[in-house]
Amino acid sequence: MAVAQSSAVVKHVVQTMVAFIVSEPATPSGTNSGSSTTTFEDDTVLFNKISELTLSEFMVLMEKALRKLSSLNKQAALVWETIKGVIDGTNLPPHINAAVKKKMLTESFTAFLTIVELSHKQASLLMKARGVDSKATTLAELAKLYNMISSFAEIDEIALNQPETWSPVRGHLMCWMKSYLENLHARETKKVMMLLDNENWTQTSVAEEFQALVDTIAGESESSSQSSTTTSTSTSDVLRIGGRKFKVVSSLLMLTKTLSLYLTAANTLRPIAGLIASKILHVHITKIFSKFVFLIQVRSQAHFGDKEQFRIALSVPVDPQLMQDQNTAPMARFVKELSSLHRVLSQYLFPDQIESIFNNIVANLTTDLENLGGKIDMSS
C-alpha cells in the first residue's frame, strides 16, 4: 500500500465517522451535508461543530473514533506482519535478493507507520477541535478520557517501541489534565485561604467522618473500620494518626478533604501526579506557614502596637533576669509567645521549615517596629 493511499484511508475513515456523528440527521432521501468532500483538518464547519459538543457528547465521539482508529491500526499491523513474514520466507523467487527484500520491507513498514501516525494525529485533532473546558470537566470524566486514550496509545507505542511522549493525542490529553489541575488548585487554594482567615484557633472535636478520611490517607482504613465498630460515639477530642493523638482546629479537618481530593486526582491522573504533589507541598504548606507569621504579627501589635506600649517595650532592660521581673513588660510576654510557637513547631516541622517561618517573622517584625519607632520621639 502506498504512503499516500495510507494517509487517504485514515483521513477518510475519521472524517466520515465524525461527520456522521456531529452532522444534522440525514434527510429522508438519505443525503448528507456533503462534508466528506474535504479532509477533516481542513473542514472548518466540522471543527466548529465539534467545539460546540457538550463534554458527554464529545466523549461518545472520542470513544467511537478511537475504537475505529484502533481497529484500523490493528489491520495495518496484521498486513505488515504478513508481508514481513512472506518477505522473510525461504520460498521467494531467486531474483529477489537482499537489497530488494530490504526495499520491500522498508516500503511496507513505512506504509504501516504512516497509517498509525495519521490515526494518532486525527485523534489529536479531535481533542484540538473540542478545546479544553477545565471548569466544566469533572475528575471522573477526565479519568474516563485518560483511560480511553491510554488504551488506544499503548498498543501502538508497544508495537512501534515508542515512548509515551510519541503520540500527539497524549500531548493534548496532558494539556487537558494540566488545565484541570490549575482550575482545581485555584479553587481549593481560595477555600484554604478562607478557612485560615476565619479560623479562631481553638480546639475542635473530630467527627468520625474526618477520622475515617485521615485513616484512609494514612493507609489505616482497616484498623479504623475495626475500631469504629467498637465505639459508640461519633466524635473524639483528638485526631489519631499512626497511634499518636493530636489536638486540632476546624480548618485542619477541612484541609484533610482538600488533601484527599488532591491525592485522588494524583492516583487517577498519573501523568501529572508529580505536579499535583508539587501543588500540595509548595503552595498549601506555604499558605499555612504564612498564617503562623501573620499570627505573630497580630500578637506583636497587641503587645506594643501603640506608642505607649512600644515605649515600655523599649525601656525593658536587656538582662533576662530583670526582664522577668517586669510583669508589665510587653516584650517579655511577646518573647514567651514566640518561644511557645517555636517549641510546638519543633515537634512537627523540619528545621529548614521552622527557619523559614521565623525568618519571615523577624522580617515582618523588624518592618513593623521600624515603622512604629519612627513615629515616637524617644527624647521625651
Side-chain angles (χ1 to χ4, degrees):
M1 181 183 293
V3 173
Q5 291 176 320
S6 302
S7 301
V9 168
V10 177
K11 291 182 179 180
H12 175 73
V13 168
V14 174
Q15 194 209 346
T16 302
M17 178 195 58
V18 172
F20 175 77
I21 295 175
V22 304
S23 63
E24 297 296 327
T27 61
S29 61
T31 59
N32 57 34
S33 62
S35 60
S36 60
T37 58
T38 59
T39 59
F40 172 52
E41 56 264 48
D42 295 330
D43 194 334
T44 304
V45 175
L46 199 55
F47 257 63
N48 290 339
K49 287 183 177 181
I50 294 174
S51 67
E52 294 170 358
L53 293 176
T54 65
L55 188 58
S56 59
E57 291 171 338
F58 176 73
M59 296 286 280
V60 172
L61 168 62
M62 199 66 183
E63 186 174 13
K64 292 182 178 180
L66 295 180
R67 189 184 305 120
K68 189 69 175 180
L69 290 171
S70 182
S71 176
L72 185 65
N73 290 347
K74 289 178 180 178
Q75 293 177 41
L78 180 61
V79 172
W80 154 245
E81 290 295 337
T82 301
I83 293 175
K84 184 174 180 295
V86 171
I87 295 176
D88 288 339
T90 58
N91 298 322
L92 292 177
H95 67 276
I96 301 181
N97 55 32
V100 175
K101 283 186 177 182
K102 182 177 180 181
K103 181 180 178 181
M104 293 173 64
L105 286 171
T106 301
E107 291 179 349
S108 301
F109 180 76
T110 300
F112 164 57
L113 182 61
T114 298
I115 291 177
V116 176
E117 289 179 340
L118 258 295
S119 68
H120 283 254
K121 179 182 178 182
Q122 295 297 298
S124 69
L125 285 173
L126 286 175
M127 297 280 289
K128 179 181 179 181
R130 174 57 174 80
V132 181
D133 189 7
S134 58
K135 292 184 178 180
T137 305
T138 66
L139 180 59
E141 291 169 328
L142 194 56
K144 182 179 180 181
L145 185 62
Y146 166 65
N147 291 331
M148 283 194 305
I149 291 178
S150 295
S151 298
F152 166 72
E154 284 173 359
I155 297 174
D156 299 320
E157 288 164 355
I158 294 173
L160 299 174
N161 194 28
Q162 295 288 348
E164 288 189 358
T165 55
W166 165 77
S167 176
V169 71
R170 281 194 186 270
H172 279 287
L173 176 63
M174 179 64 76
C175 291
W176 278 47
M177 290 190 293
K178 288 182 178 179
S179 180
Y180 169 82
L181 174 59
E182 291 302 322
N183 183 65
L184 168 69
H185 187 62
R187 184 176 69 248
E188 293 304 314
T189 298
K190 185 177 180 180
K191 289 182 181 179
V192 169
M193 294 308 297
M194 290 180 61
L195 286 172
L196 295 176
D197 288 340
N198 293 290
E199 180 59 73
N200 58 15
W201 301 101
T202 58
Q203 183 183 356
T204 187
S205 58
V206 180
E208 185 177 344
E209 170 195 1
F210 292 104
Q211 183 63 64
L213 188 60
V214 171
D215 289 341
T216 300
I217 295 174
E220 301 175 354
S221 300
E222 184 175 351
S223 61
S224 173
S225 61
Q226 293 175 351
S227 62
S228 62
T229 60
T230 59
T231 58
S232 57
T233 60
S234 59
T235 62
S236 172
D237 292 335
V238 294
L239 182 67
R240 294 176 173 81
I241 305 177
R244 301 180 63 185
K245 299 179 181 180
F246 299 89
K247 296 180 179 179
V248 297
V249 294
S250 59
S251 60
L252 180 61
L253 294 179
M254 297 306 297
L255 283 173
T256 59
K257 287 190 173 182
T258 299
L259 179 59
S260 177
L261 184 61
Y262 275 80
L263 292 177
T264 300
N267 186 57
T268 305
L269 309 175
R270 294 188 180 278
I272 60 170
L275 294 176
I276 296 175
S278 177
K279 295 291 186 183
I280 296 174
L281 293 175
H282 297 120
V283 179
H284 285 316
I285 289 180
T286 300
K287 299 294 184 185
I288 296 174
F289 286 179
S290 66
K291 200 57 164 181
F292 291 132
V293 178
F294 174 74
L295 287 174
I296 292 299
Q297 188 175 27
V298 171
R299 296 309 302 155
S300 70
Q301 293 173 355
H303 286 306
F304 32 84
D306 57 39
K307 293 181 180 181
E308 185 59 28
Q309 288 175 318
F310 188 50
R311 188 191 302 280
I312 294 174
L314 295 181
S315 67
V316 176
V318 177
D319 189 328
Q321 184 60 43
L322 294 176
M323 180 180 290
Q324 294 177 9
D325 294 338
Q326 299 287 333
N327 296 326
T328 60
M331 185 63 77
R333 295 194 296 271
F334 180 62
V335 170
K336 182 178 179 180
E337 290 178 353
L338 272 178
S339 300
S340 298
L341 176 64
H342 188 277
R343 183 172 60 255
V344 172
L345 295 184
S346 297
Q347 300 178 48
Y348 308 108
L349 302 182
F350 295 110
D352 60 329
Q353 294 174 327
I354 297 175
E355 181 179 0
S356 176
I357 292 173
F358 276 83
N359 282 342
N360 290 329
I361 288 176
V362 171
N364 284 359
L365 184 60
T366 301
T367 300
D368 290 345
L369 294 183
E370 286 178 348
N371 292 336
L372 184 59
K375 302 176 183 178
I376 299 177
D377 181 7
M378 298 302 297
S379 63
S380 57

